[in-house]
Amino acid sequence: MTPRTGPLRLGDPVQLTGPKQRLHTIVLTEGSTFHTQHGALPHEEIVGHPDGSIVHVGEHAYLAVRPLLHDYVMSMPRGAAIVYPKDAGHILTYADIQPGLTVVEAGVGSGALSLWLLRALAGQGELVSFERRQEFLDIAEANVAGWFGERPANWRTAVGDLAETLGDHVPDQTADRVVLDMLAPWECVDAAATALQPGGILLAYVATVTQLSRTVEAVRDDGRFAEPQSQETLIRSWHVDGLAVRPDHRMVAHTGFLMTARRVADDLEIPSFKRRSNKASYTDADVEAWTPGAVGDREKSDKRLRRAVRDAQRQADRLAAGTIDSDSRPEDDA
């Protein structure tokens, strides 16, 4: 995708922020009009203005800017919960995503993380994304095409279980990164270790401490990784108004844990990293508590998924053709 810069032009998505900070997203289209309760604004009157300009609808001022990927991700149609921007940035940093790498991703969900990974790859290297459900993949593919204007040439997708089919799509020791966003990433540790070349990175994104614990133990037991590292990211915004400076009452707190581990060379005896206590054992009852059904998975109804697929495809078609106005804030169902 060629970066959109310079004056606003026909075909550009534009985010309009009006009174009370209400956001609207439109695609500048010849002959179209942006309608509000304050009046109407022909799209041609926005064309030619610099990015970040003020336009008027009646007596009311609207800020017109091109939406950022952050804005797009937060407002795009969803079939599954998304990886939020704060975690996506953390993933790109600690997985060291850069152009030219071969990156494996599972699962795709609504395509939020796929968008960040593809942009970080910048058209070089390859992203191979696995998703168990065709409905989710349909939504993700439409969302990705909507942002880039077309399907990126360096993106391959596959429907299936990564643990069973990774070897069919990625030869052994050819992947540079494996990023797992799923309920039971410990089931994919062996396949990931087989696909990764020495020095590669395995990153797992999980929601609960029980998932984190089991994933870390699976990585340690595999024997092909250095000691895994685990962390989470919290964001707290601040209210700043003159001398009234304080933390906001709300914050983006826990959304998930990140675990990273480096693949080591074959036939290497990994040093023993002494811990304060012996490795904790767990019973069958503990394992049951760690199963996907016990960690809060919520199934999406078929009707809701069909609607999300339609919305995502419609948005992609309109962005490609530049034909419609739309609100930019669907209900957050994450």
Side-chain angles (χ1 to χ4, degrees):
M1 175 182 177
T2 302
R4 297 184 177 101
T5 58
L8 301 174
R9 56 186 182 270
L10 291 175
D12 281 351
V14 174
Q15 180 176 281
L16 296 171
T17 305
K20 299 182 180 180
Q21 297 297 302
R22 177 160 184 168
L23 302 180
H24 307 268
T25 298
I26 64 175
V27 176
L28 296 181
T29 309
E30 186 175 4
S32 294
T33 302
F34 171 59
H35 295 277
T36 77
Q37 60 182 345
H38 306 126
L41 176 67
H43 288 197
E44 282 88 345
E45 293 187 13
I46 304 175
V47 172
H49 284 277
D51 196 352
S53 295
I54 297 294
V55 296
H56 288 84
V57 181
E59 298 179 354
H60 296 271
Y62 284 74
L63 175 65
V65 297
R66 290 186 176 94
L68 306 176
L69 180 52
H70 169 278
D71 302 315
Y72 182 82
V73 164
M74 295 302 293
S75 65
M76 68 188 190
R78 302 179 190 176
I82 64 170
V83 173
Y84 279 81
K86 78 175 185 69
D87 296 318
H90 209 53
I91 289 170
L92 295 181
T93 298
Y94 283 89
D96 198 36
I97 305 299
Q98 56 187 290
L101 298 181
T102 296
V103 181
V104 175
E105 171 201 18
V108 179
S110 299
L113 183 57
S114 303
L115 282 163
W116 293 105
L117 292 170
L118 286 165
R119 192 165 76 168
L121 290 174
Q124 303 174 48
E126 184 177 42
L127 175 64
V128 185
S129 301
F130 290 79
E131 174 55 55
R132 287 181 173 180
R133 301 185 63 171
Q134 183 66 54
E135 308 97 305
F136 287 169
L137 188 56
D138 290 342
I139 297 167
E141 289 179 335
N143 284 331
V144 170
W147 174 257
F148 288 107
E150 60 184 1
R151 182 188 178 94
N154 65 328
W155 188 34
R156 282 196 288 140
T157 57
V159 177
D161 191 328
L162 178 140
E164 300 175 356
T165 62
L166 179 56
D168 298 333
H169 299 272
V170 179
D172 294 353
Q173 296 198 3
T174 61
D176 299 292
R177 309 288 187 263
V178 174
V179 180
L180 304 177
D181 173 19
M182 57 177 60
L183 283 171
W186 55 87
E187 296 177 351
C188 299
V189 169
D190 176 68
T194 302
L196 282 168
Q197 61 176 307
I201 299 174
L202 169 64
L203 184 146
Y205 176 64
V206 295
T208 70
V209 293
T210 48
Q211 290 171 293
L212 177 65
S213 175
R214 190 164 184 184
T215 303
V216 168
E217 293 303 332
V219 168
R220 287 172 175 156
D221 290 342
D222 181 87
R224 288 173 285 179
F225 292 94
E227 179 68 4
Q229 305 295 318
S230 304
Q231 55 193 294
E232 66 175 331
T233 303
L234 308 178
I235 292 182
R236 183 172 69 172
S237 59
W238 281 65
H239 168 87
V240 180
D241 187 3
L243 296 179
V245 180
R246 56 168 175 75
D248 279 339
H249 296 303
R250 294 183 179 182
M251 67 179 291
V252 182
H254 175 75
T255 47
F257 299 103
L258 297 186
M259 184 225 70
T260 57
R262 297 292 299 272
R263 172 72 154 87
V264 299
D266 290 332
D267 302 321
L268 177 70
E269 183 176 350
I270 301 176
S272 175
F273 297 96
K274 183 175 178 59
R275 285 172 277 169
R276 291 185 177 180
S277 60
N278 292 330
K279 178 177 172 181
S281 60
Y282 47 85
T283 66
D284 290 343
D286 295 326
V287 173
E288 178 61 26
W290 282 329
T291 56
V295 294
D297 184 30
R298 294 185 296 172
E299 290 293 328
K300 303 290 184 180
S301 68
D302 290 341
K303 180 178 179 181
R304 190 164 193 171
L305 288 175
R306 288 194 297 270
R307 185 182 68 182
V309 170
R310 290 196 302 270
D311 290 345
Q313 188 59 60
R314 187 181 301 117
Q315 177 171 274
D317 292 343
R318 290 168 176 173
L319 283 169
T323 58
I324 197 69
D325 296 349
S326 64
D327 280 336
S328 65
R329 297 287 180 182
E331 180 181 356
D332 185 350
D333 59 359

